[in-house]
Amino acid sequence: MENLYRYFDRDISWLSFNYRVLLEADNDSLPLYERINFIAIYSSNLEEFYKVRVAEHKAVASGGKSDGMSVDEARRLIHEIKERVNAQLDDRVRIYEQKILPALRANHIIFYQGRQEVEPFHKEFISRFFREELFPYLQPVKVEQGKVRMFLRDKRFYLAVRLRSRDTGERAFYILKIPHSKVPRFVVLPPKDGNYYLMFLEDIIKMNLNEIFTGYEEECSYCCKISRDADVFVDDVPPENMVEQLKEKVKKRKIGAICRFVYDRKMPDDFLDFLVEAFGINREELVPGDKHLNLEDLSSLPNPSPVNLSLSKPAPMRLPGLDGKHFMYRRIAQRDLLLYYPYYSFDHFIRFLYEAVHDSQCREIMITQYRVAEHSEVIGALIAAAQNGKRVTVFVELKARFDEENNLATAELMRKAGIHIIFSIPGLKVHAKVALVLRADRNGKPLRSYAYVSTGNFNEKTARIYSDIALFTCNPAIVEDMRTLFGVLKREVETPVFKRLLVARFNLLPELRRMIHHEIQLARSGKEGRIILKMNALQDEAMIDELYRASEAGVQIDLIVRGICCLIPGESFSRNIRVTRIVDSFLEHARVWYFGNGGNPKLFLGSPDWMKRNLYRRIEAVTPVTDKRLKQELTDMLELQLRADWNACWVDNQLNNVFKRPGHEGSIRAQYEFYRYLQECYMKPGVENGDSTAPVV
């Protein structure tokens, strides 16, 4: 029987999400530098998208193998991506030139956009800055067709210059690498008459090209850049060879195949034609860009004005008593604890580890590592535990994209400290965010042990900007399940049985289907069927079909999906499904699932999105939340996000972001309202906030 269900394309859906990010820069109600930061985030996201997703499609379009796409399908998708991206970039130009730059000027910050705008009183400063700070780092390379090609590096951008000889009248072409690692991208110029001035590094170079190319007259100059294929495949490599193979692959990332050539859209056609021929660029890889490239750098745009033009974000809370002896142990022993990052400080987890370091009855710490911060406090605590005589086991996922080098370096650091390192499993990624502290007395008798399951990484830096949730528990069933999970990672357990945890590739999918079917049965019997799913991405067609069938049966379904959502709402088969997207100060990263269960809701949190890779090719861990008060907290959070009308939108059946426009005094901004909710919760009289005297046993 033909499947009449339909789905959005994964990459086109992602472009809809990234465009939603860009629209925050168009939001006049936000502080100016917050809007500028959203342009940077949009640009950074797009760069990675081209280096990974588009590069993969280009490989298929060139005849490479793919399980799910033909050559013609890949070519059509690349064309559609190009059309949509070009339209979005036109919007980025509009927002930047017509809204951001005038808003800066209105705040007395003059951001020069070229030599024509520079005031006479700054020309001497610019000339001196060029001679003293820039000139020593500039190495122009002549570009000639038919000669050896200069290699254009990834993550760099260049100035292409066309000159004419004063003696012969002949044209010459040169490429200059912008020395961004030597000199700041944005130069702060001397203020004057209450105004503050900024300038792009490349514009200063353009103003002084005559100092570099003596004997030539400049005709024109434009910026350009290359994005290269950045994916790394080591899935089929045996564990004993994985580290060396990965090191080699990461090195080659810098010389990967070109997946796009971005150039200033005002570049004349004949100039572009010359560069395309000289560098062997495929015209399918051409992407017209802005005058100034690498706008992800705008995240570090200086604010020379004394006026604060940034957003004052909520300061992370600390539970009262955190610095007390065995605070985390005692608090978790009292009852399960949920912490919501970044509303709560990640210091709680660091403190939890150090309590284990100094606990004479702690025998072993086990943890997974997917992405950690550079100079990680988590790694420091684990090393301290090993040095204090604890057995420490860390599963290091080497295949975490763009974190491979950091994971290799931290793994070697931990190995030297005596930590037992387990590396990636061939063909699988371990994406679970879990930790386990095992305790026993001197005779080996087990004592209360502690488990931690999170939606986010063990990364204190991203924990300040990603919205995640973590469960601390000493529930014996979850502790035992965690031991089993680490047994799987150590390859000591082949057929695990989990009582509470839902683990991808074992019991996760059967349990999800069972709970969806239960809601269908409730709806068909005239009772309320209710599902709320919060996640980053929804792609797997098999699970989308389950939701479509539930909708057809009358189950009311709300999806809170930040990024990719291949489910199409508003169709006959999805009329009971609504899709909400929230983009605000913090990156919504938590995965929380709610099943109504006939009035006795079941709630879960964990690491997986409903992507094919998460459900079928990764080890993911999900925990039930059983404490009545914590279940209510999660339910309140979900309901708050569904009611939000500020920085929230619907996604319709055309992938449009349909804003829930605030316009009244009671408008709800979910992230800030939830912060206030948590303040009230843990300050309420009678709510356990760390003053427990429960013994640590």
Side-chain angles (χ1 to χ4, degrees):
M1 182 176 176
E2 183 183 359
N3 185 355
L4 300 179
Y5 295 152
R6 297 188 301 110
Y7 320 91
F8 290 129
D9 176 81
R10 165 185 171 169
D11 294 305
I12 303 305
S13 176
W14 183 89
L15 288 174
S16 168
F17 152 68
N18 204 37
Y19 183 58
R20 170 68 187 87
V21 173
L22 179 63
L23 291 178
E24 283 301 278
D26 207 14
N27 184 350
D28 296 333
S29 69
L30 286 178
L32 179 55
Y33 271 66
E34 184 78 353
R35 296 166 63 192
I36 292 170
N37 191 49
F38 275 109
I39 292 180
I41 295 169
Y42 168 86
S43 305
S44 176
N45 288 348
L46 191 63
E47 178 73 13
E48 182 175 332
F49 176 73
Y50 266 89
K51 290 165 68 172
V52 177
R53 296 297 301 171
V54 177
E56 181 180 321
H57 299 323
K58 285 183 178 292
V60 176
S62 301
K65 293 182 179 180
S66 171
D67 294 334
M69 186 178 294
S70 68
V71 170
D72 287 343
E73 287 171 335
R75 288 174 178 168
R76 283 195 296 270
L77 180 56
I78 291 168
H79 178 74
E80 184 174 359
I81 288 171
K82 185 176 181 179
E83 293 281 312
R84 288 178 180 259
V85 168
N86 286 345
Q88 290 182 10
L89 291 178
D90 286 342
D91 232 13
R92 187 176 71 175
V93 170
R94 174 190 64 80
I95 294 168
Y96 179 70
E97 293 183 352
Q98 297 179 21
K99 301 194 79 173
I100 299 300
L101 293 178
L104 283 167
R105 187 174 289 269
N107 284 279
H108 303 283
I109 300 174
I110 315 301
F111 196 179
Y112 290 144
Q113 296 299 294
R115 70 187 85 182
Q116 299 83 3
E117 297 183 12
V118 174
E119 299 284 0
F121 52 78
H122 277 138
K123 290 184 177 178
E124 173 56 31
F125 173 87
I126 290 171
S127 179
R128 187 172 64 254
F129 183 91
F130 174 81
R131 292 193 306 270
E132 295 176 0
E133 303 294 337
L134 265 173
F135 186 77
Y137 300 115
L138 297 176
Q139 298 175 325
V141 176
K142 192 171 186 179
V143 181
E144 298 178 275
Q145 290 184 359
K147 299 292 181 71
V148 176
R149 293 172 180 162
M150 174 186 176
F151 182 80
L152 299 182
R153 293 188 60 184
D154 188 36
K155 294 186 178 180
R156 303 286 187 272
F157 72 105
Y158 298 83
L159 188 64
V161 185
R162 187 165 71 185
L163 308 162
R164 189 176 294 276
S165 170
R166 289 194 176 96
D167 294 333
T168 66
E170 291 184 358
R171 275 181 169 171
F173 295 82
Y174 282 83
I175 282 284
L176 277 167
K177 184 176 76 173
I178 305 298
H180 67 91
S181 62
K182 305 293 184 181
V183 186
R185 176 77 188 279
F186 308 106
V187 179
V188 180
L189 284 67
K192 185 175 176 63
D193 299 332
N195 289 324
Y196 304 89
Y197 297 85
L198 298 169
M199 196 167 186
F200 279 99
L201 186 62
E202 57 267 34
D203 287 337
I204 291 179
I205 296 173
K206 287 183 179 183
M207 283 188 66
N208 291 275
L209 287 173
N210 62 313
E211 297 285 335
I212 305 171
F213 301 105
T214 56
Y216 288 93
E217 289 182 357
E218 178 205 352
E219 284 193 348
C220 54
S221 58
Y222 301 93
C223 287
C224 58
K225 63 178 281 188
I226 289 285
S227 297
R228 295 187 178 273
D229 185 346
D231 220 350
V232 173
F233 297 100
V234 290
D235 278 354
D236 298 327
V237 178
E240 60 271 18
N241 300 331
M242 187 169 289
V243 172
E244 291 306 316
Q245 288 280 343
L246 189 66
K247 287 179 180 178
E248 289 301 313
K249 294 271 188 177
V250 169
K251 287 179 185 176
K252 291 181 180 179
R253 175 180 275 160
K254 298 176 183 177
I255 58 173
I258 296 172
C259 55
R260 72 169 177 165
F261 179 80
V262 190
Y263 60 95
D264 184 338
R265 63 185 62 208
K266 293 183 179 178
M267 182 184 291
D269 290 342
D270 61 338
F271 196 167
L272 179 61
D273 291 342
F274 177 85
L275 295 177
V276 165
E277 180 67 26
F279 290 109
I281 306 294
N282 186 321
R283 286 197 169 270
E284 289 297 313
E285 292 152 0
L286 296 178
V287 177
D290 305 340
K291 176 181 180 180
H292 299 105
L293 304 181
N294 282 16
L295 289 187
E296 52 265 40
D297 293 344
L298 286 172
S299 61
S300 59
L301 182 71
N303 177 11
S305 167
V307 178
N308 181 17
L309 301 174
S310 299
L311 185 66
S312 296
K313 299 180 182 180
M317 294 180 284
R318 291 163 64 90
L319 291 174
L322 178 61
D323 296 323
K325 186 176 180 181
H326 295 312
F327 168 81
M328 291 299 294
Y329 272 15
R330 294 181 185 277
R331 179 62 186 80
I332 301 163
Q334 189 175 13
R335 67 189 305 175
D336 289 357
L337 172 65
L338 280 182
L339 287 184
Y340 304 82
Y341 309 124
Y343 310 110
Y344 285 102
S345 170
F346 194 73
D347 287 350
H348 294 86
F349 180 72
I350 302 297
R351 177 67 189 225
F352 172 69
L353 288 181
Y354 274 108
E355 288 187 14
V357 169
H358 300 295
D359 175 15
S360 61
Q361 295 174 319
C362 171
R363 301 295 179 229
E364 185 169 8
I365 301 172
M366 293 187 276
I367 191 170
T368 55
Q369 175 183 329
Y370 193 74
R371 302 187 194 277
V372 295
E374 292 185 16
H375 313 296
S376 166
E377 292 182 63
V378 174
I379 301 300
L382 296 174
I383 289 173
Q387 292 172 339
N388 208 29
K390 317 299 181 188
R391 290 193 304 273
V392 181
T393 300
V394 181
F395 183 95
V396 178
E397 180 50 78
L398 293 178
K399 301 187 292 291
R401 185 181 290 132
F402 300 118
D403 277 72
E404 301 96 344
E405 290 176 284
N406 188 42
N407 283 356
L408 283 167
T410 55
E412 180 61 17
L413 189 67
M414 291 187 289
R415 187 190 63 77
K416 289 180 178 178
I419 293 175
H420 176 47
I421 302 295
I422 309 171
F423 283 126
S424 300
I425 299 172
L428 284 177
K429 275 188 181 179
V430 175
H431 190 247
K433 312 349 179 141
V434 293
L436 180 61
V437 172
L438 294 175
R439 303 171 66 246
D441 64 20
R442 64 182 62 188
N443 298 317
K445 180 183 177 182
L447 298 176
R448 180 185 292 123
S449 295
Y450 299 89
Y452 175 95
V453 183
S454 180
T455 67
N457 294 303
F458 296 102
N459 186 321
E460 60 270 23
K461 292 185 178 178
T462 57
R464 298 174 195 149
I465 55 176
Y466 286 19
S467 175
D468 276 303
I469 307 173
L471 175 73
F472 293 84
T473 183
C474 56
N475 183 307
I478 293 179
V479 168
E480 189 56 36
D481 276 358
M482 197 81 79
R483 290 177 69 117
T484 301
L485 175 56
F486 277 101
V488 171
L489 300 183
K490 294 177 181 179
R491 301 173 180 83
E492 297 172 351
V493 178
E494 292 185 3
T495 55
V497 175
F498 297 102
K499 297 176 181 177
R500 292 290 184 87
L501 289 183
L502 305 182
V503 181
R505 302 189 76 252
F506 298 104
N507 64 339
L508 174 62
L509 281 175
E511 282 300 305
L512 283 178
R513 291 192 178 101
R514 187 187 64 77
M515 288 186 286
I516 293 172
H517 294 169
H518 181 59
E519 298 302 317
I520 291 174
Q521 291 169 4
L522 288 171
R524 285 176 174 166
S525 65
K527 299 177 182 177
E528 182 184 27
R530 183 77 172 111
I531 298 174
I532 307 173
L533 304 173
K534 176 177 172 58
M535 61 186 81
N536 298 315
L538 172 59
Q539 173 219 7
D540 182 52
E541 291 179 3
M543 293 309 296
I544 291 174
D545 286 354
E546 296 283 5
L547 296 177
Y548 283 156
R549 284 189 282 270
S551 172
E552 289 175 321
V555 178
Q556 295 299 312
I557 303 172
D558 275 289
L559 306 176
I560 306 170
V561 184
R562 171 175 56 86
I564 296 165
C565 182
C566 296
L567 180 148
I568 303 178
E571 300 291 319
S572 59
F573 47 78
S574 59
R575 61 182 176 272
N576 291 313
I577 304 177
R578 296 155 295 277
V579 181
T580 295
R581 175 176 284 156
I582 295 173
V583 175
D584 204 345
S585 301
F586 305 121
L587 182 110
E588 289 291 334
H589 194 250
R591 293 91 167 182
V592 181
W593 309 333
Y594 172 105
F595 297 91
N597 194 36
N600 183 23
K602 293 186 176 183
L603 284 106
F604 300 84
L605 65 86
S607 59
D609 293 310
W610 287 17
M611 302 278 286
K612 286 184 171 63
R613 66 190 186 195
N614 300 93
L615 299 177
Y616 305 104
R617 300 193 297 273
R618 292 185 175 184
I619 299 292
E620 307 271 7
V622 176
T623 182
V625 177
T626 56
D627 181 277
K628 184 177 180 181
R629 178 171 58 83
L630 299 184
K631 287 171 64 175
Q632 189 61 54
E633 282 183 9
L634 287 176
T635 302
D636 291 346
M637 181 199 73
L638 293 172
E639 293 291 350
L640 185 62
Q641 294 199 342
L642 292 175
R643 295 200 314 273
D645 57 3
W646 184 325
N647 289 62
C649 68
W650 306 110
V651 179
D652 70 10
N653 60 359
Q654 300 298 315
L655 270 180
N656 296 312
N657 295 287
V658 182
F659 282 89
K660 307 176 184 180
R661 295 288 182 190
H664 53 84
E665 190 173 324
S667 293
I668 298 172
R669 190 173 185 180
Q671 292 184 348
Y672 290 77
E673 290 294 332
F674 189 59
Y675 180 80
R676 285 189 282 271
Y677 170 93
L678 291 174
Q679 282 182 312
E680 293 176 3
C681 275
Y682 89 80
M683 293 299 290
K684 284 179 183 176
V687 173
E688 299 84 349
N689 58 12
D691 58 356
S692 168
T693 56
V696 179
V697 294

